[in-house]
Amino acid sequence: MAKGLFPRAWVKKSFYFQARISFVRVKYLFLTWLTVLVGSWVLYVQYSAYTELCRGHECKNAICDKYRKGIIDGSACSSLCDKETLYMSRCLSTLPNNQVYTGSWGDHDGIIRCKLGEVVHYELGEEPEPRREAPVFDKPTRGTSVEKFREMVFNHLKSKLGEQANLASLVSQILSVADGNKDGRVSLPEARSTWALLQMDEVLLGLLLQDRGHTPRLLGYCGDLYMTERVPYGPLYGLSLPWPLVSWVPSGLQRTMDQWFTPSWPRKAKISMGLLELVEDIFHGTYGSFLICDLAAAHFGYTDRHEIRLTNTRAVVSEDEFKRTMRVLKCETDADCVYGVDCQTSCDVSEKRCREEPVQPNLAKACGALKDYILRGAPSGLREELERQLYACMALKGNAGQMNMEHSLILNNLKALLWRQISHTKDS
């Protein structure tokens, strides 16, 4: 009887064993299928996002088409379209109609930017609408003299910067840039390219600040495509986390992590002095005063010699334009009177209009941005005095009666304090 039961038990056990193996196989087959499905979907989404964001070939084709038709010209046109010695490499675009690429042009590495028409979305099953073209290069018109073009540029600068004593010299500088082939005259196609560039505030502000070394140099242009020198190190400090991680990492932890990825303290001091000099130069600059309305570390980088560069001039606005904008802004509270990220005025509640004067000057915001950066790793004999001066700087108000004098005093004291520490080092 026991002998008869053994084969039956063995068969039953074998059946359960085979059934378990089949279940495991089905489970792993399902997981494999699910992984392939999810992976394919992620790849599709990434590819779709890439093809929508990265349209450098369209940008080049549109620009070169207009160049070959004689509509536009510029210092980079021949290299981009004929010789093909200027080419785009890695896509950095974050908006479909604002193309950004790393690029090379002979011995120069740089950043290439180009405007494109809007991407038009459509539902599946519908006929796609034609892509909306970027504005055509229709100014100046045929028959416009160089003197008339000079007047156009002058009036445009005046509308952007207000009445400034040195506008005529700035116009001459821009006309020199407009002469792309350096033949001593500005042709109509070159003038059209220059006019298109001047409509972009970031290009105009870059030209204003590049002489003092605060922004990357303009290397060349063709139409509204232009190339600036590449800043090797950026952001100013910290890591640029991938967007899925940004919302998961607490801001306190991210600030701490940011301070782990910085140069040595003497080099940080030199970079900080560069930011203070930028603030000094735009406070009452050659072409008026400017406000920095977003002092995020991502908008700054630095060179191999630890010289700071403002890499996003969209964060800068002329004081004249700022006041015009705030003057017409209606408000209920001070929170309604904000320009950009952090340029704020107060609300005149009785008039329900924003006041013109900024609450906080550039220097106060710069000191706030530098506080954690420069205090970490500071020499022990310097830290207390440096912290005291930084807090005095952060307390500056835009409407203080003696703001100009106080601004200059604090700025000079901070620069002198940092310079004493690094003047004897190789980093100076």
Side-chain angles (χ1 to χ4, degrees):
M1 185 124 179
K3 286 181 181 179
L5 287 171
F6 178 75
R8 192 180 303 164
W10 183 84
V11 169
K12 193 175 182 181
K13 189 173 182 180
S14 175
F15 172 77
Y16 282 126
F17 182 69
Q18 289 179 3
R20 183 172 179 79
I21 289 176
S22 299
F23 173 73
V24 169
R25 283 177 177 170
V26 169
K27 180 181 176 182
Y28 278 107
L29 186 64
F30 173 74
L31 289 175
T32 302
W33 173 81
L34 187 62
T35 302
V36 170
L37 180 66
V38 171
S40 301
W41 179 79
V42 169
L43 286 173
Y44 171 74
V45 169
Q46 291 291 329
Y47 177 74
S48 298
Y50 180 86
T51 53
E52 183 173 319
L53 284 176
C54 301
R55 300 153 56 206
H57 62 287
E58 292 183 34
C59 197
K60 179 184 174 182
N61 291 342
I63 289 290
C64 289
D65 179 60
K66 290 179 174 63
Y67 164 65
R68 293 186 181 111
K69 289 177 179 176
I71 298 171
I72 58 172
D73 201 354
S75 55
C77 288
S78 177
S79 298
L80 177 72
C81 305
D82 296 335
K83 302 174 185 174
E84 297 194 350
T85 54
L86 189 160
Y87 57 90
M88 301 178 187
S89 302
R90 185 162 59 94
C91 176
L92 305 175
S93 307
T94 56
L95 294 170
N97 60 347
N98 187 25
Q99 295 296 292
V100 185
Y101 279 77
T102 61
S104 295
W105 186 13
D107 297 331
H108 296 291
D109 289 328
I111 300 295
I112 299 171
R113 290 180 168 85
C114 177
K115 297 286 185 182
L116 268 181
E118 297 177 26
V119 177
V120 180
H121 297 281
Y122 59 93
E123 299 297 328
L124 288 176
E126 293 181 359
E127 285 295 318
E129 300 175 34
R131 192 183 300 279
R132 299 192 190 112
E133 287 294 323
V136 293
F137 299 91
D138 56 355
K139 290 183 181 179
T141 56
R142 190 172 297 280
T144 302
S145 66
V146 173
E147 284 308 311
K148 179 63 178 175
F149 180 59
R150 180 186 290 272
E151 184 183 335
M152 285 173 63
V153 173
F154 182 89
N155 290 334
H156 178 70
L157 296 178
K158 185 177 175 181
S159 72
K160 290 290 182 180
L161 306 175
E163 291 279 359
Q164 303 297 332
N166 296 308
L167 280 187
S169 64
L170 179 58
V171 172
S172 298
Q173 178 189 334
I174 288 172
L175 290 183
S176 175
V177 172
D179 181 13
N181 57 7
K182 303 303 176 190
D183 62 353
R185 66 184 188 88
V186 179
S187 66
L188 180 62
E190 286 173 336
R192 284 173 177 154
S193 290
T194 305
W195 185 253
L197 288 176
L198 290 177
Q199 307 314 302
M200 296 184 279
D201 290 346
E202 64 268 26
V203 177
L204 175 56
L205 289 165
L207 289 170
L208 292 178
L209 297 173
Q210 73 174 12
D211 285 347
R212 297 299 300 258
H214 296 311
T215 55
R217 286 185 305 112
L218 178 68
L219 298 177
Y221 65 92
C222 184
D224 56 2
L225 177 149
Y226 65 98
M227 181 175 180
T228 55
E229 66 179 350
R230 190 175 182 185
V231 179
Y233 302 102
L236 182 59
Y237 56 80
L239 289 173
S240 296
L241 293 174
W243 66 265
L245 297 179
V246 171
S247 57
W248 291 93
V249 178
S251 57
L253 176 60
Q254 189 167 341
R255 281 196 300 270
T256 303
M257 289 169 59
D258 283 344
Q259 301 306 321
W260 295 344
F261 299 92
T262 57
S264 64
W265 191 86
R267 290 173 174 172
K268 287 197 292 185
K270 183 176 181 181
I271 292 167
S272 300
M273 282 187 65
L275 180 57
L276 294 175
E277 286 170 357
L278 166 63
V279 168
E280 183 177 26
D281 284 344
I282 68 174
F283 180 50
H284 284 307
T286 310
Y287 305 110
S289 296
F290 296 85
L291 298 172
I292 305 176
C293 291
D294 188 358
L295 268 159
H299 300 326
F300 296 88
Y302 56 94
T303 67
D304 293 318
R305 298 179 61 187
H306 300 91
E307 296 167 339
I308 197 168
R309 295 287 186 272
L310 174 63
T311 53
N312 182 9
T313 50
R314 289 191 185 95
V316 180
V317 61
S318 73
E319 189 176 57
D320 191 71
E321 185 174 340
F322 173 78
K323 286 183 176 181
R324 282 201 309 269
T325 303
M326 302 313 291
R327 197 180 299 144
V328 298
L329 207 59
K330 295 181 180 179
C331 64
E332 297 289 339
T333 66
D334 290 351
D336 298 324
C337 301
V338 180
Y339 185 103
V341 173
D342 56 14
C343 283
Q344 185 169 8
T345 68
S346 56
C347 179
D348 185 339
V349 180
S350 61
E351 297 286 335
K352 294 190 181 298
R353 296 273 182 185
C354 293
R355 294 186 173 93
E356 296 179 8
E357 295 300 323
V359 173
Q360 197 177 32
N362 288 325
L363 183 58
K365 293 186 287 187
C367 289
L370 288 174
K371 181 172 70 70
D372 292 339
Y373 178 72
I374 196 66
L375 286 177
R376 182 181 174 86
S380 55
L382 171 78
R383 184 183 173 87
E384 186 177 341
E385 176 62 16
L386 180 58
E387 188 170 16
R388 186 188 69 77
Q389 289 200 24
L390 284 170
Y391 276 104
C393 172
M394 290 161 60
L396 278 172
K397 297 295 180 186
N399 56 357
Q402 298 295 320
M403 207 271 283
N404 283 5
M405 187 181 296
E406 192 178 3
H407 184 286
S408 298
L409 183 64
I410 288 176
L411 180 62
N412 290 334
N413 286 345
L414 265 172
K415 286 171 61 181
L417 184 65
L418 293 173
W419 178 248
R420 282 200 301 271
Q421 290 297 314
I422 66 169
S423 58
H424 61 282
T425 69
K426 63 180 181 180
D427 296 304
S428 62

PDB file of all heavy atoms in Angstrom, residues 9 49-50 61 68 72 83 108-109 119 122 144 155 193 199 212 229 260 295 298 350 392 400 403-404:
ATOM      1  N   ALA A   9       2.256  10.371  -4.983  1.00  0.00           N
ATOM      2  CA  ALA A   9       2.758  11.594  -4.316  1.00  0.00           C
ATOM      3  C   ALA A   9       3.816  12.267  -5.168  1.00  0.00           C
ATOM      4  O   ALA A   9       3.878  13.495  -5.281  1.00  0.00           O
ATOM      5  CB  ALA A   9       3.330  11.237  -2.933  1.00  0.00           C
ATOM      6  N   ALA A  49       9.980  64.689 -27.679  1.00  0.00           N
ATOM      7  CA  ALA A  49      10.403  65.947 -27.060  1.00  0.00           C
ATOM      8  C   ALA A  49      11.651  66.480 -27.755  1.00  0.00           C
ATOM      9  O   ALA A  49      11.774  67.688 -27.999  1.00  0.00           O
ATOM     10  CB  ALA A  49      10.665  65.737 -25.567  1.00  0.00           C
ATOM     11  N   TYR A  50      12.579  65.581 -28.097  1.00  0.00           N
ATOM     12  CA  TYR A  50      13.828  65.996 -28.740  1.00  0.00           C
ATOM     13  C   TYR A  50      13.554  66.586 -30.124  1.00  0.00           C
ATOM     14  O   TYR A  50      14.078  67.648 -30.475  1.00  0.00           O
ATOM     15  CB  TYR A  50      14.777  64.806 -28.850  1.00  0.00           C
ATOM     16  CG  TYR A  50      16.096  65.156 -29.507  1.00  0.00           C
ATOM     17  CD1 TYR A  50      17.145  65.669 -28.758  1.00  0.00           C
ATOM     18  CD2 TYR A  50      16.285  64.994 -30.875  1.00  0.00           C
ATOM     19  CE1 TYR A  50      18.348  66.004 -29.351  1.00  0.00           C
ATOM     20  CE2 TYR A  50      17.481  65.329 -31.489  1.00  0.00           C
ATOM     21  CZ  TYR A  50      18.512  65.833 -30.719  1.00  0.00           C
ATOM     22  OH  TYR A  50      19.693  66.167 -31.309  1.00  0.00           O
ATOM     23  N   ASN A  61      18.588  75.628 -42.374  1.00  0.00           N
ATOM     24  CA  ASN A  61      18.007  75.655 -43.723  1.00  0.00           C
ATOM     25  C   ASN A  61      17.300  76.981 -44.004  1.00  0.00           C
ATOM     26  O   ASN A  61      17.427  77.551 -45.094  1.00  0.00           O
ATOM     27  CB  ASN A  61      17.029  74.497 -43.902  1.00  0.00           C
ATOM     28  CG  ASN A  61      17.730  73.147 -43.929  1.00  0.00           C
ATOM     29  OD1 ASN A  61      18.944  73.085 -44.148  1.00  0.00           O
ATOM     30  ND2 ASN A  61      16.988  72.080 -43.699  1.00  0.00           N
ATOM     31  N   ARG A  68      21.210  82.763 -49.378  1.00  0.00           N
ATOM     32  CA  ARG A  68      21.456  82.480 -50.797  1.00  0.00           C
ATOM     33  C   ARG A  68      20.576  83.337 -51.711  1.00  0.00           C
ATOM     34  O   ARG A  68      20.936  83.597 -52.856  1.00  0.00           O
ATOM     35  CB  ARG A  68      21.240  80.992 -51.072  1.00  0.00           C
ATOM     36  CG  ARG A  68      22.295  80.115 -50.383  1.00  0.00           C
ATOM     37  CD  ARG A  68      22.181  78.664 -50.762  1.00  0.00           C
ATOM     38  NE  ARG A  68      23.197  77.878 -50.065  1.00  0.00           N
ATOM     39  CZ  ARG A  68      22.942  76.991 -49.102  1.00  0.00           C
ATOM     40  NH1 ARG A  68      21.679  76.780 -48.733  1.00  0.00           N
ATOM     41  NH2 ARG A  68      23.918  76.345 -48.519  1.00  0.00           N
ATOM     42  N   ILE A  72      19.717  88.327 -46.516  1.00  0.00           N
ATOM     43  CA  ILE A  72      20.517  88.611 -45.326  1.00  0.00           C
ATOM     44  C   ILE A  72      21.971  88.269 -45.600  1.00  0.00           C
ATOM     45  O   ILE A  72      22.302  87.537 -46.537  1.00  0.00           O
ATOM     46  CB  ILE A  72      20.024  87.800 -44.100  1.00  0.00           C
ATOM     47  CG1 ILE A  72      20.062  86.288 -44.394  1.00  0.00           C
ATOM     48  CG2 ILE A  72      18.649  88.248 -43.651  1.00  0.00           C
ATOM     49  CD1 ILE A  72      19.775  85.395 -43.213  1.00  0.00           C
ATOM     50  N   LYS A  83      30.917  77.217 -46.812  1.00  0.00           N
ATOM     51  CA  LYS A  83      32.091  76.418 -46.429  1.00  0.00           C
ATOM     52  C   LYS A  83      31.751  75.316 -45.435  1.00  0.00           C
ATOM     53  O   LYS A  83      32.473  74.318 -45.322  1.00  0.00           O
ATOM     54  CB  LYS A  83      33.156  77.332 -45.806  1.00  0.00           C
ATOM     55  CG  LYS A  83      33.612  78.458 -46.724  1.00  0.00           C
ATOM     56  CD  LYS A  83      34.551  79.405 -45.979  1.00  0.00           C
ATOM     57  CE  LYS A  83      34.922  80.602 -46.836  1.00  0.00           C
ATOM     58  NZ  LYS A  83      35.714  81.602 -46.082  1.00  0.00           N
ATOM     59  N   HIS A 108      37.206  78.112 -32.699  1.00  0.00           N
ATOM     60  CA  HIS A 108      36.341  78.626 -31.631  1.00  0.00           C
ATOM     61  C   HIS A 108      35.259  77.617 -31.264  1.00  0.00           C
ATOM     62  O   HIS A 108      34.603  77.048 -32.139  1.00  0.00           O
ATOM     63  CB  HIS A 108      35.669  79.929 -32.066  1.00  0.00           C
ATOM     64  CG  HIS A 108      36.621  81.051 -32.319  1.00  0.00           C
ATOM     65  ND1 HIS A 108      37.333  81.673 -31.320  1.00  0.00           N
ATOM     66  CD2 HIS A 108      36.996  81.669 -33.476  1.00  0.00           C
ATOM     67  CE1 HIS A 108      38.090  82.626 -31.833  1.00  0.00           C
ATOM     68  NE2 HIS A 108      37.904  82.632 -33.149  1.00  0.00           N
ATOM     69  N   ASP A 109      35.069  77.417 -29.966  1.00  0.00           N
ATOM     70  CA  ASP A 109      33.904  76.701 -29.450  1.00  0.00           C
ATOM     71  C   ASP A 109      32.939  77.738 -28.905  1.00  0.00           C
ATOM     72  O   ASP A 109      33.358  78.712 -28.256  1.00  0.00           O
ATOM     73  CB  ASP A 109      34.303  75.741 -28.325  1.00  0.00           C
ATOM     74  CG  ASP A 109      35.089  74.551 -28.846  1.00  0.00           C
ATOM     75  OD1 ASP A 109      34.829  74.139 -29.989  1.00  0.00           O
ATOM     76  OD2 ASP A 109      35.960  74.049 -28.113  1.00  0.00           O
ATOM     77  N   VAL A 119       5.899  76.114 -33.084  1.00  0.00           N
ATOM     78  CA  VAL A 119       5.459  74.771 -33.438  1.00  0.00           C
ATOM     79  C   VAL A 119       3.956  74.702 -33.230  1.00  0.00           C
ATOM     80  O   VAL A 119       3.446  75.043 -32.171  1.00  0.00           O
ATOM     81  CB  VAL A 119       6.148  73.714 -32.537  1.00  0.00           C
ATOM     82  CG1 VAL A 119       5.628  72.329 -32.862  1.00  0.00           C
ATOM     83  CG2 VAL A 119       7.648  73.775 -32.720  1.00  0.00           C
ATOM     84  N   TYR A 122      -1.313  69.625 -33.163  1.00  0.00           N
ATOM     85  CA  TYR A 122      -2.567  69.177 -33.746  1.00  0.00           C
ATOM     86  C   TYR A 122      -2.895  67.793 -33.204  1.00  0.00           C
ATOM     87  O   TYR A 122      -2.022  67.056 -32.760  1.00  0.00           O
ATOM     88  CB  TYR A 122      -2.496  69.138 -35.282  1.00  0.00           C
ATOM     89  CG  TYR A 122      -1.410  68.228 -35.829  1.00  0.00           C
ATOM     90  CD1 TYR A 122      -1.687  66.907 -36.158  1.00  0.00           C
ATOM     91  CD2 TYR A 122      -0.105  68.698 -36.009  1.00  0.00           C
ATOM     92  CE1 TYR A 122      -0.700  66.071 -36.654  1.00  0.00           C
ATOM     93  CE2 TYR A 122       0.888  67.875 -36.504  1.00  0.00           C
ATOM     94  CZ  TYR A 122       0.581  66.554 -36.829  1.00  0.00           C
ATOM     95  OH  TYR A 122       1.569  65.735 -37.313  1.00  0.00           O
ATOM     96  N   THR A 144      17.258 102.214 -48.511  1.00  0.00           N
ATOM     97  CA  THR A 144      17.625 102.894 -47.255  1.00  0.00           C
ATOM     98  C   THR A 144      19.124 103.199 -47.250  1.00  0.00           C
ATOM     99  O   THR A 144      19.949 102.313 -47.466  1.00  0.00           O
ATOM    100  CB  THR A 144      17.277 102.006 -46.039  1.00  0.00           C
ATOM    101  OG1 THR A 144      15.889 101.692 -46.059  1.00  0.00           O
ATOM    102  CG2 THR A 144      17.613 102.712 -44.734  1.00  0.00           C
ATOM    103  N   ASN A 155      17.469 105.597 -32.856  1.00  0.00           N
ATOM    104  CA  ASN A 155      16.130 105.705 -32.271  1.00  0.00           C
ATOM    105  C   ASN A 155      15.723 104.440 -31.527  1.00  0.00           C
ATOM    106  O   ASN A 155      15.046 104.505 -30.489  1.00  0.00           O
ATOM    107  CB  ASN A 155      15.106 106.030 -33.362  1.00  0.00           C
ATOM    108  CG  ASN A 155      15.268 107.438 -33.899  1.00  0.00           C
ATOM    109  OD1 ASN A 155      15.759 108.325 -33.209  1.00  0.00           O
ATOM    110  ND2 ASN A 155      14.882 107.659 -35.152  1.00  0.00           N
ATOM    111  N   SER A 193      20.302  91.779 -41.155  1.00  0.00           N
ATOM    112  CA  SER A 193      20.716  90.857 -40.091  1.00  0.00           C
ATOM    113  C   SER A 193      20.919  91.601 -38.776  1.00  0.00           C
ATOM    114  O   SER A 193      20.462  91.166 -37.710  1.00  0.00           O
ATOM    115  CB  SER A 193      22.018  90.140 -40.472  1.00  0.00           C
ATOM    116  OG  SER A 193      21.821  89.224 -41.525  1.00  0.00           O
ATOM    117  N   GLN A 199      16.599  93.499 -32.296  1.00  0.00           N
ATOM    118  CA  GLN A 199      15.250  93.320 -31.742  1.00  0.00           C
ATOM    119  C   GLN A 199      15.261  92.367 -30.546  1.00  0.00           C
ATOM    120  O   GLN A 199      14.281  92.300 -29.800  1.00  0.00           O
ATOM    121  CB  GLN A 199      14.285  92.793 -32.810  1.00  0.00           C
ATOM    122  CG  GLN A 199      14.245  93.613 -34.095  1.00  0.00           C
ATOM    123  CD  GLN A 199      14.154  95.096 -33.854  1.00  0.00           C
ATOM    124  OE1 GLN A 199      13.219  95.583 -33.212  1.00  0.00           O
ATOM    125  NE2 GLN A 199      15.126  95.844 -34.369  1.00  0.00           N
ATOM    126  N   ARG A 212      33.450  95.166 -21.179  1.00  0.00           N
ATOM    127  CA  ARG A 212      34.019  95.064 -19.836  1.00  0.00           C
ATOM    128  C   ARG A 212      34.255  93.614 -19.422  1.00  0.00           C
ATOM    129  O   ARG A 212      34.634  93.337 -18.289  1.00  0.00           O
ATOM    130  CB  ARG A 212      33.091  95.750 -18.820  1.00  0.00           C
ATOM    131  CG  ARG A 212      32.906  97.237 -19.031  1.00  0.00           C
ATOM    132  CD  ARG A 212      34.228  97.986 -18.926  1.00  0.00           C
ATOM    133  NE  ARG A 212      34.835  97.812 -17.612  1.00  0.00           N
ATOM    134  CZ  ARG A 212      34.798  98.721 -16.654  1.00  0.00           C
ATOM    135  NH1 ARG A 212      34.212  99.873 -16.868  1.00  0.00           N
ATOM    136  NH2 ARG A 212      35.364  98.497 -15.485  1.00  0.00           N
ATOM    137  N   GLU A 229      30.966  83.190 -27.561  1.00  0.00           N
ATOM    138  CA  GLU A 229      31.982  82.295 -27.023  1.00  0.00           C
ATOM    139  C   GLU A 229      31.377  81.430 -25.915  1.00  0.00           C
ATOM    140  O   GLU A 229      30.446  81.844 -25.224  1.00  0.00           O
ATOM    141  CB  GLU A 229      33.188  83.077 -26.503  1.00  0.00           C
ATOM    142  CG  GLU A 229      32.906  83.947 -25.296  1.00  0.00           C
ATOM    143  CD  GLU A 229      34.135  84.688 -24.815  1.00  0.00           C
ATOM    144  OE1 GLU A 229      35.239  84.384 -25.295  1.00  0.00           O
ATOM    145  OE2 GLU A 229      33.987  85.583 -23.960  1.00  0.00           O
ATOM    146  N   TRP A 260      28.961  71.923  -2.214  1.00  0.00           N
ATOM    147  CA  TRP A 260      29.992  70.879  -2.341  1.00  0.00           C
ATOM    148  C   TRP A 260      30.753  71.022  -3.656  1.00  0.00           C
ATOM    149  O   TRP A 260      31.907  70.622  -3.745  1.00  0.00           O
ATOM    150  CB  TRP A 260      29.348  69.500  -2.290  1.00  0.00           C
ATOM    151  CG  TRP A 260      28.696  69.168  -0.981  1.00  0.00           C
ATOM    152  CD1 TRP A 260      28.865  69.795   0.212  1.00  0.00           C
ATOM    153  CD2 TRP A 260      27.743  68.117  -0.739  1.00  0.00           C
ATOM    154  NE1 TRP A 260      28.087  69.221   1.179  1.00  0.00           N
ATOM    155  CE2 TRP A 260      27.386  68.185   0.628  1.00  0.00           C
ATOM    156  CE3 TRP A 260      27.164  67.135  -1.537  1.00  0.00           C
ATOM    157  CZ2 TRP A 260      26.489  67.301   1.202  1.00  0.00           C
ATOM    158  CZ3 TRP A 260      26.274  66.246  -0.967  1.00  0.00           C
ATOM    159  CH2 TRP A 260      25.938  66.329   0.390  1.00  0.00           C
ATOM    160  N   LEU A 295      19.055  86.745 -10.120  1.00  0.00           N
ATOM    161  CA  LEU A 295      20.456  86.485  -9.784  1.00  0.00           C
ATOM    162  C   LEU A 295      20.702  85.006  -9.489  1.00  0.00           C
ATOM    163  O   LEU A 295      21.555  84.663  -8.676  1.00  0.00           O
ATOM    164  CB  LEU A 295      20.882  87.346  -8.589  1.00  0.00           C
ATOM    165  CG  LEU A 295      21.502  88.685  -8.967  1.00  0.00           C
ATOM    166  CD1 LEU A 295      21.434  89.665  -7.818  1.00  0.00           C
ATOM    167  CD2 LEU A 295      22.940  88.506  -9.405  1.00  0.00           C
ATOM    168  N   ALA A 298      22.354  79.781 -12.064  1.00  0.00           N
ATOM    169  CA  ALA A 298      22.304  79.200 -13.411  1.00  0.00           C
ATOM    170  C   ALA A 298      22.580  80.227 -14.500  1.00  0.00           C
ATOM    171  O   ALA A 298      22.928  79.867 -15.625  1.00  0.00           O
ATOM    172  CB  ALA A 298      20.943  78.558 -13.648  1.00  0.00           C
ATOM    173  N   SER A 350      -3.342 104.064  -2.683  1.00  0.00           N
ATOM    174  CA  SER A 350      -4.334 105.100  -2.983  1.00  0.00           C
ATOM    175  C   SER A 350      -4.542 105.264  -4.492  1.00  0.00           C
ATOM    176  O   SER A 350      -5.654 105.494  -4.958  1.00  0.00           O
ATOM    177  CB  SER A 350      -3.910 106.432  -2.364  1.00  0.00           C
ATOM    178  OG  SER A 350      -2.660 106.840  -2.902  1.00  0.00           O
ATOM    179  N   ALA A 392      25.293  93.819   6.076  1.00  0.00           N
ATOM    180  CA  ALA A 392      25.073  95.259   5.878  1.00  0.00           C
ATOM    181  C   ALA A 392      24.701  95.532   4.421  1.00  0.00           C
ATOM    182  O   ALA A 392      23.840  96.376   4.119  1.00  0.00           O
ATOM    183  CB  ALA A 392      26.331  96.033   6.262  1.00  0.00           C
ATOM    184  N   ALA A 400      16.687 104.440  -0.130  1.00  0.00           N
ATOM    185  CA  ALA A 400      17.395 105.112   0.955  1.00  0.00           C
ATOM    186  C   ALA A 400      17.893 106.475   0.471  1.00  0.00           C
ATOM    187  O   ALA A 400      18.319 106.637  -0.667  1.00  0.00           O
ATOM    188  CB  ALA A 400      18.575 104.266   1.422  1.00  0.00           C
ATOM    189  N   MET A 403      21.499 106.496  -0.774  1.00  0.00           N
ATOM    190  CA  MET A 403      21.766 105.176  -1.347  1.00  0.00           C
ATOM    191  C   MET A 403      23.017 105.145  -2.204  1.00  0.00           C
ATOM    192  O   MET A 403      23.808 104.216  -2.114  1.00  0.00           O
ATOM    193  CB  MET A 403      20.551 104.717  -2.158  1.00  0.00           C
ATOM    194  CG  MET A 403      20.413 103.206  -2.253  1.00  0.00           C
ATOM    195  SD  MET A 403      21.275 102.509  -3.659  1.00  0.00           S
ATOM    196  CE  MET A 403      20.162 102.912  -4.981  1.00  0.00           C
ATOM    197  N   ASN A 404      23.228 106.147  -3.025  1.00  0.00           N
ATOM    198  CA  ASN A 404      24.396 106.155  -3.912  1.00  0.00           C
ATOM    199  C   ASN A 404      25.696 106.093  -3.121  1.00  0.00           C
ATOM    200  O   ASN A 404      26.593 105.311  -3.423  1.00  0.00           O
ATOM    201  CB  ASN A 404      24.388 107.423  -4.784  1.00  0.00           C
ATOM    202  CG  ASN A 404      23.391 107.299  -5.924  1.00  0.00           C
ATOM    203  OD1 ASN A 404      22.656 106.326  -6.002  1.00  0.00           O
ATOM    204  ND2 ASN A 404      23.363 108.291  -6.793  1.00  0.00           N
TER     205      ASN A 404
END
